[in-house]
Amino acid sequence: MGNSIEQSANGVSPLIALRDPRAPAAEAYRRLRTNIQFSSLDKPLHTLLATSTAPDEGKSTTLANLAVTMAQAEQRVILVDCDLHRPTLHTLFELPNEVGLTSMILAQEDAPPLQPTGVPGLTLLASGPLPPRPADILGSRRMDAVIARLRAEADIVLFDTPPVVVVTDAVVLATKVDGVLLVLQAGKTRRDRARQARQILEKVKANIVGVVLNNAQVEQGYGYYG
């Protein structure tokens, strides 16, 4: 499965699925949602991770828009910011980040500090305070318990993680989720980096369900090809 999605212009909300639902890019996110659903007919995905090869390839924006479209399809969606180096999701939804995933893990609290996003059916578990060793937290047994708790409260849980080639965080978490979405950017992502990312994920037997290509040039009127 492959998808091409065009990012929003600077200075405009990147949540185009909310800002302009009729735009080609918004339609591309809906088709991405549909492709993910059809790719998992035999074994439905309840947990999905998004990663990239390098910073600023659009993974957080892609995952946030995907989450919006899933919620618009009347699914209960929890968006989790597991990028404990450069958390972004709370800024996209203009929410605070004082508490979140790390707070829940360190305090060993059962109830996740979920925040409403303003989109019916979609809540956010922000990153919370940044820890010194993120991979240790994501690989802990406590994280397993958090994932199980979140799965019980939603139809699908979406995890935003750091670039898989840069740090080990995404690899650690990829072994705990049902599927992985690899986000690349046209004109920026190097081919060798893309191959390396795939090899890293395949080495831990991660289930790569698809690849999203941001900022690809497509024919007028089309925001998707696959």
Side-chain angles (χ1 to χ4, degrees):
M1 179 184 69
N3 293 270
S4 173
I5 293 174
E6 182 179 356
Q7 295 290 328
S8 302
N10 291 336
V12 180
S13 170
L15 297 178
I16 196 167
L18 282 178
R19 176 173 55 82
D20 189 0
R22 295 186 178 182
E27 176 62 23
Y29 286 116
R30 289 190 289 272
R31 294 194 183 194
L32 173 61
R33 175 195 68 198
T34 301
N35 278 4
I36 290 172
Q37 291 170 337
F38 274 101
S39 73
S40 59
L41 285 178
D42 294 334
K43 186 178 180 182
L45 298 175
H46 295 292
T47 52
L48 179 67
L49 174 156
T51 187
S52 59
T53 72
D56 303 319
E57 290 182 323
K59 64 175 177 60
S60 300
T61 300
T62 295
L63 195 66
N65 277 285
L66 176 61
V68 169
T69 63
M70 287 180 166
Q72 289 171 337
E74 299 184 350
Q75 289 184 283
R76 296 173 302 153
V77 184
I78 297 178
L79 192 54
V80 186
D81 202 332
C82 293
D83 190 336
L84 304 181
H85 300 266
R86 294 175 55 186
T88 303
L89 294 179
H90 67 284
T91 62
L92 296 179
F93 291 95
E94 299 181 352
L95 294 171
N97 194 33
E98 282 74 20
V99 296
L101 175 64
T102 57
S103 312
M104 184 181 180
I105 290 178
L106 295 177
Q108 296 190 354
E109 297 176 356
D110 290 329
L114 300 175
Q115 301 183 65
T117 62
V119 180
L122 174 59
T123 53
L124 171 68
L125 180 58
S127 70
L130 303 186
R133 297 186 302 276
D136 290 350
I137 285 184
L138 298 178
S140 67
R141 283 182 291 180
R142 178 61 185 162
M143 185 65 192
D144 294 342
V146 168
I147 293 173
R149 176 60 188 265
L150 296 175
R151 283 185 58 147
E153 296 194 14
D155 297 312
I156 188 163
V157 186
L158 304 176
F159 299 89
D160 186 20
T161 65
V164 67
V165 177
V166 178
V167 291
T168 62
D169 303 31
V171 176
V172 169
L173 198 56
T175 63
K176 301 176 182 290
V177 299
D178 299 330
V180 174
L181 195 64
L182 183 60
V183 180
L184 311 176
Q185 184 164 327
K188 180 173 182 178
T189 303
R190 290 164 29 192
R191 291 179 182 271
D192 61 328
R193 284 278 184 134
R195 284 193 294 268
Q196 184 182 2
R198 181 175 179 176
Q199 290 168 356
I200 291 171
L201 291 167
E202 289 177 342
K203 190 173 182 179
V204 296
K205 295 180 171 57
N207 177 26
I208 304 174
V209 299
V211 177
V212 172
L213 183 63
N214 288 320
N215 286 340
Q217 295 297 319
V218 294
E219 293 183 19
Q220 186 66 30
Y222 291 86
Y224 163 85
Y225 66 87

